[in-house]
Amino acid sequence: MTRKRPAIIAATALIAAAAGVPVLVNAAHASQPTPTVADPDVKRSATGSYIVQLDDSPVAEYDGDIAGLAATKVLPGAKLLKTAAPVVDYVKHLANERNAVLTKVPGITKLYDYNYTYAGFSAEMSYDDAVKLAKSSGVKSVEPSEIEHADTVDTPRFLGLSGKGGAWQQAGGVDKAGDGVIIGMIDSGYVPERPSFAPMKTTKQSDAIVAKKWKGTCQAGEEAPVTCNNKVIGARYFDKGIGNRPIPEEFRSPRDYGGHGTHTASTAAGNNGVDMTVMGRDYGQGSGMAPHARLAIYKALWAVDASGGGSGTDADIVAAIDAAVSDGVDVINYSISGSGSTYVNATGLAFLRAAKAGVFVASSAGNTGPGEATVGKTYPWVTSVANGTHDRDIQTTVTLGNGKSYTGAGIGSGTPEAPVVLAKDAGLAGANPTNLTLCQAGTLDPAKVKDKIVVCDRGVNARADKSLQVKNAGGIGMILLNIVPGTLDADLHAVPTVHLDDTKTAEVKAYVSGTANPTAKIGAGTPVRVNAPMVASSSSRGPSPAGNGDLLKPDIMAPGTNVLAATTAFSAAGGEYAFMSGTSMATPHIAGIAAVIKSAHPTWSPMAIKSAMMTTATDKDTSGKPIKNDSGSAANPFGYGAGEVQPKYGMDPGLVYDSTYTDWTKFVCGSGQVPSTHELCANGKIDLSDLNYPTIAIGDLAGKQTVTRTVTNVGKTPEVYFPTVEGAKGLKITVSPKLLVTFPGRRTTYTVTIENNGAPLEQYSFGKLVWKSAKHSVASTLAIKPLTVKAPVQVKGTGTAGSVDVPVTAGYAGTLNTTALGLNPATVGEATLRNPGGVSFPTTAPKANDHVAKFTADVPVGTTYARFSTFDADYPAGTDLDVFVYKAGTTTLLGSSTGGSAEEEVNLSQPAGGPVDVYVDLYAGANEQQVKLNHWELQKSTGNLTVTPATQQVQVAGDTTVTANWTGLTAGTRYLGQLHFSDGADGSGNTVVRVDC
């Protein structure tokens, strides 16, 4: 109801007068104007526009307290119907009230009328008129209509690049962030027309720095040619290896089709202040991490199927690495999959030489988490990046017909209330039930889906493909349900979609299946602030499959979930920007940050830059608590490495851990992955834990071990540092010396002795060694696994009878018991494959085809060790096989082996038991090839393998030997067995025994 303000003003005046305060009314005269004094109740508008709120309620809240006007408020579960007679009448009333107010300030320009959710209007007016209106009867408030900038979509704010004291400011401003640095993007190309890649303002000094080192070219290409500028200074494409596999829609040029390369390039070094819109919604201004760095594009990934996903051959990829280094790039971003079990495949060696040439390489850790030892590309000379969430999420809510609402991820515009159906109940006749619940192609029945919201399970096919199948069948929305804990992803879907976590799955399905006419309504996507970071479920985890756990990988974490950046029309549903998730999206954050650090410290080596980021990273989230996994469980360094990157501290780390090509060759030689006669062993070898790395990992602590580290003062003044140890429960950590006196540019060495002091055997213990000075804090993450015994992972023998000695170092004092399992002959499956694929295996959607064979093997419950192998000796030279092992009937990847030959091996220690699907991919080789999958499942002794002595006394860190003996084997057969070591309690260890007869 309209309330009259004069009475309130009069009462205020009377109170003031009674208090002895003078009250002036109309004190100013027209002939003598006085400056306007700001009214404390009205803020001055910078735009000249104001929003005026009437005393009356809007339609949605009006409760009928005005005589002659019925209530219009919306009741729970009902909708606002603006054509209803009471609503029409009340809107007329609001119009009259509005006009009455407007007559008091003639000459203002009205912009909008508000009736339903806000009662009032907006108008352009002077500040004096705004003050006058605020004091008028019938007006509740007057506030300025200001320019509201959408929250920036960039991650620089979250990471501390932007803002006061941020890395950009330390670099000299945003126009200096990455200045003079060239980032090479080995990916699927780029879209040159995106504003992220527009020409930028540079200086003669910056141009001269770039010109001096840049030796590359701009290869326009045959189809949809590109043009370079001073932002993207070079572009090349590599397709000799991929041949004719790309789909017809692909471009034989550096131009991107699938969108992955454009997204990573704009994230690493896209221009600052780019307006980003998705599905008609403005998400604010975005920026690359190093907005003033130059980009060089190396297209080595190609769309080989309708999904648009990028695939590339090693031939093309290595050529791209080679070209990038020779062209003069400073940083390489490599968001491409790869093996984690070797240091010496072609890609690893190419990057070894790139690092030797002073190029910083950021590489994705992989998207096969959350299982252990799934991390890829574990080379110490590159920086492996994990995928974390960031504190800006895009959420939407689905409201079911029973009134319950559930919030998940979603960026669409939403749907009206509509019927909802489970995919399993909306299938075509004869549709595979498993495929149907996943909303796979060709399973949904348009007659059952038209104009409905469909509930689909996550898994196998791409998330966006599910919504496309719903759209193709006539559906208007999708509820995507996680079946197991996992990330929630704000994908660009074909229909409005809400992605819910697994805790909501049962309730949603129960409502839909148990209600006669179930309905649902999906709301519009809304940006919200959330606690972050968390480790994404899909992000691959350590420990490193290579190196026996003596190198902590991944190295570091950066935002990689729901990252908004430029992309192609294909990936943006005709638009220019899209949200994408994965370690591929996290990696360019690190590449860009490395460019910012490099621009500020041009003489720093790639390893110094890497160290600066790692030793200043954080293992805390925005609430100050330890980082968690996105499932809610506690995370650890195998998920996030040294922690979430903090570039503003990395610009001035105090100390760095540097290493050189010689150090890396010693590391490789010490890994045993090359023979002692290999050229990489020319400088000798080291224990892998002794590589001068920013973290300290020992995967095989036999009671006690000492490691050595050397730090370099990269500051401008001498500093004294003192060590502290955090965590590492059950371990005795001794640091020598007790303080470090460091001088600018000088190196200082210290040792760390780590001794088991009650830590559980066969389990990792995590902690930190932190060197602190008055100004700096330099942290090294510790990942230590005390063993019952330190013994070889595997020993080999030959012949139908024989023996081999196994050296053992004890991690405790007491009795060592040794037993034998096996030897088991290999079970061999065979298949004929054709037309080598030469492209990356689709790990999220595995299936057999002409170059991929699928074998199903049973792993009995109680199996202690299972192995799946192929062997070079069975194939002609040049054959390249890859092996992938999944829980049968699922997309749960248990292990993979993707080296550059036919010698592949996947091992499962203490497997859960049950059938597994094993895919063997003919990546390269003859057009037709018979392949053999060898597998073993060890469970008990078979009597042909014995060990002596079976029992002996050992001391902590004491060395001893056991001997494995075998007899009665069949010639021409491959056998596998295992020695099991036990302390008689909880401690245990194993050595695999392989015998080729």
Side-chain angles (χ1 to χ4, degrees):
M1 180 166 62
T2 302
R3 292 175 288 277
K4 305 301 181 184
R5 189 173 293 257
I8 299 174
I9 295 174
T12 303
L14 287 173
I15 294 170
V21 179
V23 178
L24 302 181
V25 181
N26 296 329
H29 301 280
S31 60
Q32 189 69 35
T34 59
T36 301
V37 178
D39 187 287
D41 295 326
V42 181
K43 293 182 179 179
R44 193 180 299 272
S45 171
T47 66
S49 299
Y50 294 83
I51 296 175
V52 180
Q53 181 179 195
L54 300 177
D55 275 333
D56 298 82
S57 301
V59 167
E61 292 182 349
Y62 172 60
D63 58 8
D65 61 343
I66 299 176
L69 292 175
T72 60
K73 66 179 181 181
V74 180
L75 300 176
K79 292 181 177 294
L80 191 155
L81 183 61
K82 69 177 182 180
T83 58
V87 173
V88 172
D89 290 342
Y90 188 68
V91 168
K92 290 179 180 177
H93 164 76
L94 290 178
N96 292 334
E97 292 296 310
R98 190 161 37 239
N99 291 335
V101 169
L102 285 167
T103 59
K104 300 171 184 177
V105 282
I108 71 172
T109 303
K110 188 172 65 169
L111 300 175
Y112 294 101
D113 290 338
Y114 307 123
N115 296 303
Y116 303 98
T117 59
Y118 193 94
F121 61 95
S122 59
E124 293 178 351
M125 66 184 81
S126 68
Y127 180 71
D128 288 345
D129 283 339
V131 172
K132 185 176 181 180
L133 273 180
K135 296 179 179 180
S136 300
S137 61
V139 174
K140 181 180 292 184
S141 66
V142 177
E143 59 187 274
S145 174
E146 306 201 4
I147 298 176
E148 297 291 343
H149 297 284
D151 284 344
T152 179
V153 298
D154 61 13
T155 40
R157 171 202 51 77
F158 173 55
L159 295 177
L161 281 159
S162 60
K164 185 177 180 180
W168 287 351
Q169 186 182 75
Q170 293 181 57
V174 69
D175 60 345
K176 296 293 183 182
D179 192 34
V181 176
I182 306 168
I183 303 177
M185 305 296 302
I186 300 177
D187 215 297
S188 63
Y190 80 120
V191 180
E193 294 80 14
R194 294 292 179 263
S196 296
F197 310 124
M200 62 183 189
K201 185 177 180 181
T202 63
T203 64
K204 290 183 179 180
Q205 181 183 13
S206 174
D207 291 341
I209 292 172
V210 171
K212 183 177 180 179
K213 59 188 169 186
W214 177 243
K215 308 301 179 185
T217 185
C218 187
Q219 185 182 11
E222 301 172 15
E223 300 172 350
V226 304
T227 302
C228 298
N229 55 29
N230 70 348
K231 178 63 178 180
V232 181
I233 60 175
R236 303 176 68 171
Y237 64 102
F238 302 85
D239 61 353
K240 292 180 180 179
I242 202 72
N244 294 321
R245 297 183 186 91
I247 59 177
E249 293 84 355
E250 252 288 14
F251 306 109
R252 291 284 177 177
S253 76
R255 183 175 292 275
D256 188 10
Y257 172 77
H260 191 273
T262 303
H263 202 279
T264 56
S266 59
T267 299
N271 289 326
N272 184 59
V274 174
D275 293 321
M276 295 185 176
T277 301
V278 180
M279 299 180 72
R281 185 183 185 116
D282 179 11
Y283 281 97
Q285 293 186 327
S287 175
M289 301 303 102
H292 225 65
R294 317 298 177 100
L295 284 165
I297 305 299
Y298 299 87
K299 182 176 178 178
L301 298 185
W302 302 82
V304 297
D305 55 38
S307 72
S311 294
T313 66
D314 285 338
D316 290 338
I317 289 170
V318 173
I321 298 170
D322 198 51
V325 175
S326 63
D327 285 348
V329 304
D330 302 292
V331 174
I332 288 177
N333 185 87
Y334 188 76
S335 294
I336 302 175
S337 63
S339 173
S341 60
T342 178
Y343 300 122
V344 291
N345 59 352
T347 304
L349 291 176
F351 282 136
L352 173 68
R353 281 61 183 249
K356 182 181 182 182
V359 178
F360 178 96
V361 179
S363 178
S364 53
N367 300 313
T368 54
E372 290 186 356
T374 51
V375 62
K377 293 154 294 182
T378 55
Y379 326 118
W381 45 86
V382 309
T383 302
S384 306
V385 188
N387 169 11
T389 63
H390 57 92
D391 68 344
R392 176 173 172 144
D393 198 10
I394 310 299
Q395 296 182 350
T396 189
T397 298
V398 59
T399 302
L400 304 180
N402 61 5
K404 289 189 176 181
S405 295
Y406 305 92
T407 298
I411 62 173
S413 56
T415 70
E417 187 172 15
V420 60
V421 62
L422 298 178
K424 75 178 186 67
D425 299 324
L428 292 165
N432 180 289
T434 300
N435 295 345
L436 177 59
T437 60
L438 298 169
C439 294
Q440 292 194 16
T443 61
L444 294 172
D445 187 347
K448 299 175 183 177
V449 171
K450 184 175 175 57
D451 297 329
K452 294 180 181 177
I453 296 170
V454 182
V455 181
C456 304
D457 287 354
R458 180 180 186 173
V460 185
N461 56 324
R463 298 182 299 269
D465 178 63
K466 299 174 189 291
S467 63
L468 179 61
Q469 302 310 320
V470 171
K471 180 181 180 180
N472 290 343
I476 65 167
M478 178 176 74
I479 301 173
L480 178 60
L481 298 176
N482 278 356
I483 304 306
V484 296
T487 55
L488 298 181
D489 300 280
D491 300 302
L492 191 61
H493 284 284
V495 294
T497 295
V498 58
H499 186 179
L500 301 178
D501 66 45
D502 61 295
T503 63
K504 313 298 191 304
T505 295
E507 285 187 39
V508 171
K509 288 189 173 182
Y511 164 74
V512 177
S513 62
T515 305
N517 295 295
T519 62
K521 178 181 179 181
I522 299 174
T526 303
V528 296
R529 289 275 182 256
V530 295
N531 192 41
M534 295 186 288
V535 186
S537 293
S538 60
S539 189
S540 295
R541 270 36 174 212
S544 169
N548 201 30
D550 281 353
L551 184 74
L552 178 61
K553 287 282 182 170
D555 289 309
I556 201 163
M557 187 167 73
T561 299
N562 295 337
V563 175
L564 179 57
T567 189
T568 62
F570 173 85
S571 285
E576 297 184 347
Y577 304 94
F579 292 90
M580 293 186 180
S581 298
T583 53
S584 284
M585 284 63 247
T587 304
H589 284 84
I590 296 299
I593 291 167
V596 175
I597 296 175
K598 180 73 173 179
S599 68
H601 304 287
T603 62
W604 285 12
S605 72
M607 297 303 102
I609 294 171
K610 174 181 184 172
S611 175
M613 286 191 273
M614 290 177 63
T615 62
T616 58
T618 178
D619 58 4
K620 300 295 191 295
D621 61 23
T622 48
S623 70
K625 296 180 179 179
I627 292 173
K628 292 184 176 182
N629 297 313
D630 63 6
S631 63
S633 61
N636 63 45
F638 288 146
Y640 54 71
E644 177 85 345
V645 65
Q646 297 188 110
K648 68 179 180 180
Y649 301 116
M651 294 288 284
D652 179 22
L655 304 175
V656 298
Y657 295 84
D658 210 345
S659 57
T660 66
Y661 177 79
T662 298
D663 297 322
W664 309 327
T665 61
K666 290 180 179 179
F667 175 93
V668 172
C669 190
S671 74
Q673 292 193 2
V674 296
S676 59
T677 55
H678 195 280
E679 62 181 6
L680 292 175
C681 290
N683 296 305
K685 65 181 181 179
I686 59 172
D687 185 289
L688 304 196
S689 296
D690 278 326
L691 180 67
N692 199 43
Y693 216 67
T695 52
I696 297 174
I698 303 176
D700 52 3
L701 179 68
K704 184 177 182 180
Q705 186 170 338
T706 298
V707 299
T708 302
R709 289 293 186 271
T710 299
V711 291
T712 303
N713 182 336
V714 291
K716 296 180 180 179
T717 60
E719 286 191 84
V720 178
Y721 286 85
F722 297 89
T724 60
V725 176
E726 303 172 4
K729 185 177 180 180
L731 297 175
K732 180 181 178 183
I733 311 291
T734 305
V735 183
S736 180
K738 297 299 183 183
L739 62 83
L740 295 180
V741 180
T742 67
F743 297 90
R746 300 283 295 275
R747 294 160 59 89
T748 307
T749 297
Y750 67 90
T751 62
V752 182
T753 300
I754 302 171
E755 186 174 359
N756 189 4
N757 191 32
L761 297 173
E762 308 300 327
Q763 297 180 30
Y764 272 93
S765 181
F766 302 103
K768 278 186 179 182
L769 167 62
V770 185
W771 288 98
K772 295 182 180 180
S773 71
K775 184 179 179 183
H776 295 101
S777 179
V778 185
S780 289
T781 299
L782 306 175
I784 313 297
K785 184 180 182 180
L787 298 184
T788 307
V789 295
K790 182 176 181 178
V793 175
Q794 177 174 284
V795 293
K796 295 181 181 179
T798 58
T800 58
S803 65
V804 63
D805 290 337
V806 182
V808 176
T809 303
Y812 66 100
T815 302
L816 172 64
N817 304 302
T818 309
T819 56
L821 300 179
L823 296 163
N824 290 7
T827 300
V828 183
E830 297 189 39
T832 300
L833 298 179
R834 300 176 177 84
N835 305 319
V839 296
S840 298
F841 182 79
T843 54
T844 58
K847 62 180 179 179
N849 54 42
D850 59 349
H851 62 84
V852 177
K854 175 183 176 182
F855 301 90
T856 298
D858 183 58
V859 178
V861 175
T863 295
T864 63
Y865 187 85
R867 174 176 290 183
F868 306 87
S869 296
T870 60
F871 297 93
D872 273 338
D874 294 339
Y875 305 95
T879 304
D880 185 356
L881 302 176
D882 293 328
V883 176
F884 304 85
V885 182
Y886 291 82
K887 182 178 179 181
T890 75
T891 59
T892 302
L893 182 63
L894 302 177
S896 64
S897 182
T898 57
S901 69
E903 191 87 12
E904 303 293 349
E905 179 182 296
V906 176
N907 299 307
L908 303 180
S909 181
Q910 301 292 332
V916 295
D917 292 334
V918 185
Y919 295 87
V920 179
D921 183 6
L922 178 60
Y923 187 88
N927 286 335
E928 183 172 315
Q929 180 67 59
Q930 189 82 0
V931 297
K932 298 179 181 180
L933 174 69
N934 299 261
H935 61 96
W936 302 262
E937 293 79 31
L938 305 180
Q939 192 174 21
K940 59 185 180 180
S941 173
T942 59
N944 55 14
L945 177 66
T946 59
V947 60
T948 54
T951 302
Q952 60 180 305
Q953 294 301 117
V954 294
Q955 299 297 320
V956 175
D959 295 329
T960 187
T961 300
V962 298
T963 301
N965 310 279
W966 62 90
T967 187
L969 306 186
T970 302
T973 304
R974 295 181 174 110
Y975 286 84
L976 203 72
Q978 190 178 55
L979 300 184
H980 179 73
F981 307 102
S982 171
D983 64 352
D986 296 331
S988 63
N990 302 283
T991 291
V992 173
V993 180
R994 174 181 155 186
V995 180
D996 294 343
C997 297

